[in-house]
Amino acid sequence: MDLNFNKNEDHNKLLVSQLRHKFAQVKLGGGEKRIQKLHNEGKMTARERIDYLLDKDAKNIEIGAFTGEGMYAEHGGCPSGGVVVKIGYIQGKQCIVVANDATVKAGAWFPITGKKNLRAQEIAIENNLPIIYLVDSAGVYLPLQDEIFPDKEHFGRIFRNNAIMSSKGITQIAAIMGSCVAGGAYLPIMSDEAIIVDKTGSIFLAGSYLVKAAIGETIDNETLGGATTHCEISGVTDYKAKDDKDALDKIKNIIDKLGDYTPAGFNRIKSEKPKLDEKEMYGILPKARNEQYDMMEIIHRLVDNSEFEAYKDGYGQTILTGYARIDGWAVGIVANQRKVVKTKKGEMQFGGVIYSDSADKATRFIANCNQKKIPLVFLQDVTGFMVGSKSEQGGIIKDGAKMVNAVSNSVVPKFTVVIGNSYGAGNYAMCGKAFDPRLIFAWPSAELAVMGGTQAAKVLAQIEASALKAKGETIDEAKENELFTKIKAKYDEQVSPYYAAARLWTDAIIDPLDTRTWISMGIEAANHAPIDKQFNLGVIQV
């Protein structure tokens, strides 16, 4: 291997090491003292509950581990959005589990908590996936109630989704393992079945203090809404559990007896590992986001047997399209080629840029995958569409619109991996979050923004310098450099994959070596939901 490979490898392995360190911190939730407090109360943490519930030694993936990262500092932070979400297996059946983290503000709902819960429900709805709620929450975080309570995508949408899933026959099971207060009380009771833990679980529309203030009645919380009240008097809950593990065992027993699902029928054969060493991806992916590399070298280390059947190989070469298998599943891959390519006309095309011919090829390939019922995998490392008079006169907007149309109307499940750059309209055309990928996740090398940090900082610095000059201030080279450095530092923070993950623009940041697992489990989840729509491009400019 050459020196450049070694430098890339060291850089990317360091990024993965930093990822693991950050995740270790996130797993502590509200901190070790609060974890110990839960244990002293005879309760398990959210992560311990999920680990006990999921099948041992079976694979699982976590959605939104870095949700809330760097947000709400003035409120003490909100690690993982105060809720842990995993897709895994219970008694061999794939499910999604949502567990309130009571170590974070007693499991209270911040605005980002609501967004993450809605994302979990969206995954369940799209994939007909059973969903388990492990409830332990003080309800809406009151200091931020205006950002979580009244709007369409706020707290109430959770209950609306409960009702929608019920009508669709999607299994919902809830375990009340701590507080379940006010509006939040509807979530478990709108589920198919509800379990409550004796002495630690409680559910009521108003707690004892509010009851006293509202109607003057003096009553304790256990009598008001504990397990005995709701299992033996009100009939609100279905099962009483003696402790957390007993409640989780009851969930296992219920899931064990679920009937089978009708598969969508995506093609799968025996899985084969890539022939080429997957770990070499660390050395292939450049340290700098503006450096060129051959995306085929990445693809050959992601797909079974390192086999890729290219579609229109010699045409529109800045996008790679073709068929492959990942963990046995048939997939259609749409990937940005990051090396400079030469057309048959002798023209040079920049890697990572979408040209008219590339967009045209991708549109046709997406249509083919929809016709053949093959899931799509998008590998993003894109700086945007080609600009300039030649491209505009060649109809780049029209061809780009066709590609966006195809991505938007695709009915087969889509999965997006942000490997490197994800800039501007390139993010959209390559199935960014706005285009409903079943899962979208990033490598630690990813950057998401309207444009790259250096370019954006130059533009913004020029605008700010012009504004200062208009006010009569003298701007010398040193002052311009100072403006540029200040703006670039802020912009670089915003293009970080952690900034995107904190806001759930992506579902996760992962080690590149976990990519095959994420795609495979995503397709397996999608296979629970038969396709009931026809692919139709709609009206497009030919």
Side-chain angles (χ1 to χ4, degrees):
M1 298 297 175
D2 61 22
L3 180 61
N4 196 46
F5 181 97
N6 292 335
K7 287 181 178 179
N8 291 338
E9 183 178 47
D10 289 344
H11 173 74
N12 287 309
K13 284 186 174 180
L14 178 61
L15 291 181
V16 172
S17 177
Q18 291 169 346
L19 170 66
R20 289 175 181 151
H21 176 73
K22 281 178 174 286
F23 182 57
Q25 292 298 115
V26 159
K27 287 173 72 174
L28 294 175
E32 292 179 350
K33 287 184 179 179
R34 292 180 182 174
I35 290 173
Q36 188 57 52
K37 185 184 177 202
L38 276 187
H39 290 166
N40 292 341
E41 295 170 355
K43 297 166 70 173
M44 303 163 74
T45 67
R47 292 183 180 278
E48 288 168 345
R49 288 166 176 168
I50 293 178
D51 287 345
Y52 183 84
L53 184 60
L54 296 181
D55 295 347
K56 289 182 180 179
D57 301 323
K59 291 181 178 179
N60 65 76
I61 56 177
E62 181 168 347
I63 305 296
F66 295 104
T67 303
E69 172 89 358
M71 300 169 68
Y72 310 116
E74 66 277 21
H75 297 278
C78 189
S80 280
V83 62
V84 182
V85 177
K86 288 190 179 184
I87 299 175
Y89 302 88
I90 303 172
Q91 302 296 89
K93 294 180 172 64
Q94 196 178 44
C95 302
I96 184 164
V97 185
V98 182
N100 299 116
D101 187 348
T103 69
V104 180
K105 299 289 185 183
W109 286 52
F110 283 68
I112 200 68
T113 314
K115 186 173 183 179
K116 186 170 175 179
N117 276 269
L118 288 170
R119 175 60 179 144
Q121 289 186 320
E122 180 182 42
I123 291 171
I125 291 170
E126 286 181 329
N127 299 291
N128 284 347
L129 210 58
I131 183 167
I132 316 300
Y133 308 101
L134 307 181
V135 184
D136 194 345
S137 171
V140 166
Y141 183 62
L142 291 178
L144 298 174
Q145 66 85 26
D146 62 320
E147 298 178 41
I148 180 61
F149 171 66
D151 209 348
K152 180 178 179 181
E153 298 298 331
H154 283 177
F155 194 75
R157 189 76 170 183
I158 303 291
F159 315 133
R160 176 264 187 192
N161 286 348
N162 286 140
I164 294 296
M165 282 189 277
S166 182
S167 72
K168 291 177 175 289
I170 298 172
T171 298
Q172 300 176 85
I173 300 169
I176 302 153
M177 311 180 84
S179 297
C180 189
V181 186
Y186 287 103
L187 184 148
I189 308 312
M190 293 186 73
S191 299
D192 302 333
E193 294 179 89
I195 300 152
I196 185 168
V197 179
D198 195 21
K199 299 298 185 289
T200 56
S202 59
I203 179 168
F204 33 63
L205 295 181
S208 56
Y209 292 122
L210 185 54
V211 168
K212 177 69 173 176
I215 64 172
E217 181 183 1
T218 301
I219 190 169
D220 63 272
N221 282 338
E222 182 64 25
T223 306
L224 182 66
T228 298
T229 295
H230 287 311
C231 285
E232 299 177 19
I233 301 173
S234 72
V236 166
T237 51
D238 305 306
Y239 308 91
K240 183 196 287 188
K242 62 183 180 182
D243 55 26
D244 281 6
K245 287 186 176 181
D246 187 34
L248 298 170
D249 285 336
K250 291 182 187 300
I251 293 173
K252 292 181 182 182
N253 290 335
I254 294 169
I255 294 294
D256 184 53
K257 296 168 182 63
L258 288 185
D260 209 350
Y261 61 90
T262 302
F266 303 124
N267 185 287
R268 191 181 197 186
I269 61 173
K270 183 177 180 291
S271 175
E272 300 287 348
K273 289 185 177 180
K275 286 182 178 177
L276 299 179
D277 187 356
E278 295 174 71
K279 293 180 182 178
E280 290 177 352
M281 291 189 291
Y282 294 134
I284 294 166
L285 190 67
K287 178 178 178 180
R289 293 273 39 86
N290 60 350
E291 289 183 22
Q292 302 285 303
Y293 65 97
D294 188 352
M295 181 63 85
M296 277 307 312
E297 295 298 322
I298 298 290
I299 292 173
H300 283 145
R301 287 161 178 81
L302 285 177
V303 301
D304 291 14
N305 281 323
S306 300
E307 293 175 350
F308 179 78
E309 184 66 36
Y311 170 83
K312 288 186 177 290
D313 193 23
Y315 176 70
Q317 295 177 67
T318 64
I319 286 184
L320 301 170
T321 52
Y323 303 105
R325 290 189 182 274
I326 293 178
D327 196 25
W329 294 104
V331 296
I333 293 176
V334 180
N336 301 113
Q337 175 58 287
R338 278 308 312 268
K339 69 176 184 179
V340 174
V341 297
K342 190 174 183 179
T343 69
K344 284 190 175 181
K345 294 180 180 179
E347 298 172 337
M348 303 302 294
Q349 293 187 343
F350 298 105
V353 179
I354 301 175
Y355 290 78
S356 285
D357 55 356
S358 304
D360 175 60
K361 177 171 81 170
T363 301
R364 296 189 189 194
F365 181 70
I366 291 167
N368 279 341
C369 287
N370 273 269
Q371 187 181 52
K372 296 177 175 67
K373 203 160 73 171
I374 300 173
L376 285 159
V377 174
F378 292 82
L379 304 179
Q380 283 195 6
D381 194 345
V382 58
T383 53
F385 284 88
M386 190 58 190
V387 297
S389 60
K390 186 173 182 180
S391 292
E392 297 293 357
Q393 291 168 12
I396 185 65
I397 296 176
K398 176 183 66 178
D399 291 319
K402 283 192 287 188
M403 182 176 174
V404 169
N405 206 320
V407 173
S408 303
N409 287 301
S410 178
V411 297
V412 295
K414 303 171 296 224
F415 302 89
T416 302
V417 189
V418 187
I419 290 176
N421 303 325
S422 181
Y423 297 156
N427 169 282
Y428 299 162
M430 291 295 294
C431 197
K433 183 66 180 290
F435 292 82
D436 294 328
R438 297 293 177 97
L439 293 172
I440 175 170
F441 47 95
W443 290 4
S445 49
E447 292 187 357
L448 289 84
V450 173
M451 63 178 73
T454 300
Q455 300 94 315
K458 284 180 180 177
V459 172
L460 292 169
Q462 289 170 5
I463 292 171
E464 189 164 338
S466 297
L468 292 172
K469 287 176 182 177
K471 293 178 181 178
E473 295 188 30
T474 302
I475 306 295
D476 57 17
E477 186 177 346
K479 181 65 175 176
E480 285 187 352
N481 288 337
E482 181 186 337
L483 282 173
F484 171 79
T485 302
K486 179 182 175 182
I487 292 170
K488 188 175 186 304
K490 181 180 179 182
Y491 203 88
D492 284 346
E493 178 188 348
Q494 294 180 354
V495 303
S496 160
Y498 293 97
Y499 192 91
R503 290 152 182 80
L504 273 175
W505 300 343
T506 61
D507 291 316
I509 305 170
I510 69 165
D511 183 335
L513 300 183
D514 293 331
T515 304
R516 282 169 53 85
T517 295
W518 272 75
I519 293 172
S520 177
M521 288 189 67
I523 298 175
E524 183 180 349
N527 203 40
H528 286 70
I531 297 171
D532 57 4
K533 297 179 181 177
Q534 292 292 321
F535 176 68
N536 188 333
L537 268 181
V539 178
I540 58 172
Q541 295 285 344
V542 179

